[in-house]
Amino acid sequence: MADDSTTTIRATFKTREAAELAVERLVQQYGISRPDVFIQPVSDRNSAGSAPSGGDASHADGARRDAPLRGDIEVSADIAPDQLAAVRRSFEEAGAVELSDQ
């Protein structure tokens, strides 16, 4: 009988760019199904992260000040328990500032 149990892992990122990179790695490198990966702001306010990145950071006059930088971004994924160490390492490499699993 196959083990169908899953573990939910959560990581917090300062930028939307880092969160999206983490999602792409989960899907492309680890074969995690996209419907099993979730991305959302940590707070109840819409946010692009808590630090400028990508297009918000790359202006001649410095970082844009109108981006909705209202909090960190959380990525969570339902994974097989044997993927936990690799996914944790991948989140860390993508810039996770906080990690938890249950």
Side-chain angles (χ1 to χ4, degrees):
M1 176 189 277
D3 181 8
D4 291 333
S5 66
T6 60
T7 298
T8 300
I9 185 168
R10 290 179 172 77
T12 304
F13 297 89
K14 294 282 183 197
T15 67
R16 180 76 182 200
E17 179 182 35
E20 290 177 357
L21 174 64
V23 169
E24 289 306 311
R25 290 174 111 176
L26 294 181
V27 172
Q28 293 178 9
Q29 291 181 355
Y30 297 101
I32 296 170
S33 178
R34 184 60 182 93
D36 292 330
V37 181
F38 309 92
I39 187 167
Q40 65 187 13
V42 171
S43 72
D44 61 351
R45 300 177 72 192
N46 188 27
S47 179
S50 58
S53 67
D56 293 333
S58 61
H59 290 275
D61 296 330
R64 289 180 54 176
R65 301 192 194 288
D66 62 342
L69 301 176
R70 299 186 183 108
D72 294 341
I73 305 294
E74 178 187 87
V75 175
S76 62
D78 298 330
I79 61 171
D82 64 347
Q83 293 177 303
L84 186 59
V87 170
R88 179 177 272 278
R89 189 171 43 256
S90 181
F91 276 162
E92 289 169 347
E93 290 171 358
V97 294
E98 193 173 316
L99 280 163
S100 68
D101 56 78
Q102 47 182 3

